[in-house]
Amino acid sequence: GNSVTQMEGPVTLSEEAFLTINCTYTATGYPSLFWYVQYPGEGLQLLLKATKADDKGSNKGFEATYRKETTSFHLEKGSVQVSDSAVYFCALSVQYAGGTSYGKLTFGQGTILTVHP
Amino acid sequence: DAMVIQNPRYQVTQFGKPVTLSCSQTLNHNVMYWYQQKSSQAPKLLFHYYDKDFNNEADTPDNFQSRRPNTSFCFLDIRSPGLGDAAMYLCATSRGTRTDEQFFGPGTRLTVL
């Protein structure tokens, strides 16, 4: 089956620190990989995505590279801000050969990030 | 520019009293999803529609039902809410392929008294 494992949180950083949130996956089929962010009291927003091996997704200073050899999609940001405090979810979507998954997502458990001034 | 709209944002109901949550979209996407999310846990998929084709997750309780009368609207009905059904309910839409992201609404926070 498909699964996503994220590093356990919560993660607490000072402003301008470097951020890494680890994400590894197992999948049958050909996965696309996503990072979603959820701010308090809101729905999820797509942060970035990568749809094939070696693709790099980037947005708002965040980056993640699809590594097929290590089945990983780690999220990084060089200098975090207080406004980055949120919950981050890694997720995958798989297209089955000869069928469709209708874009269903398998989520990791989420990582709570708190950034202090 | 709201793309996925959920109403109401906050819903309070009594134990056992039916409740309906609403979702609408302006994206004209084929697929609409309903999730249940508790605390800061990962969203749990309840069911989804591809057009009018309904797909239920195996572990979704019978207490949860859904309707999609047209492309734009989808409803979540909870027939007899229990205390354990208190959660955030998220609606999302997608074009439904492997590479397409899902677009989420802001959610409805359900409280059961």
Side-chain angles (χ1 to χ4, degrees), chain B residues 16-89:
Chain B
K17 185 174 181 180
V19 65
T20 294
L21 309 182
S22 168
C23 177
S24 64
Q25 58 143 334
T26 60
L27 296 164
N28 203 34
H29 283 165
N30 293 325
V31 191
M32 296 186 77
Y33 312 82
W34 278 105
Y35 292 90
Q36 179 191 66
Q37 186 183 31
K38 296 187 176 182
S39 301
S40 290
Q41 297 176 20
K44 177 182 182 299
L45 182 65
L46 296 173
F47 24 60
H48 68 283
Y49 277 92
Y50 187 94
D51 291 334
K52 286 192 175 286
D53 181 24
F54 177 72
N55 298 272
N56 199 31
E57 293 301 297
D59 57 354
T60 298
D62 293 340
N63 198 27
F64 292 87
Q65 306 281 316
S66 185
R67 297 169 282 136
R68 188 178 185 185
N70 54 53
T71 300
S72 300
F73 284 88
C74 195
F75 301 97
L76 170 61
D77 300 310
I78 308 176
R79 294 192 298 184
S80 181
L83 298 179
D85 296 327
M88 175 76 88
Y89 290 88

Side-chain angles (χ1 to χ4, degrees), chain A residues 26 63 91 115:
Chain A
T26 59
E63 293 184 340
V115 180

Side-chain angles (χ1 to χ4, degrees), chain A residues 30-32 34 36 38 41-46 49-52 66 87 89 93-95 100-105 107-110 112, chain B residues 9-10 31 33 35 37 39-43 45 48 50 53 55 57 88 90 94 96-107 109:
Chain A
Y30 308 95
S32 292
F34 305 85
Y36 285 86
Q38 186 175 32
E42 299 183 11
L44 278 68
Q45 302 174 26
L46 177 72
K49 72 177 186 181
T51 60
K52 62 183 186 297
Y66 186 156
V87 183
F89 292 98
S93 177
V94 176
Q95 176 76 42
T100 180
S101 64
Y102 298 138
K104 283 175 60 174
L105 292 172
F107 285 97
Q109 68 269 39
I112 299 172
Chain B
R9 292 292 309 275
Y10 301 92
V31 191
Y33 312 82
Y35 292 90
Q37 186 183 31
S39 301
S40 290
Q41 297 176 20
L45 182 65
H48 68 283
Y50 187 94
D53 181 24
N55 298 272
E57 293 301 297
M88 175 76 88
L90 297 168
S94 166
T97 72
R98 173 185 69 89
T99 59
D100 290 310
E101 64 267 31
Q102 293 186 16
F103 291 81
F104 285 80
R109 171 72 65 188

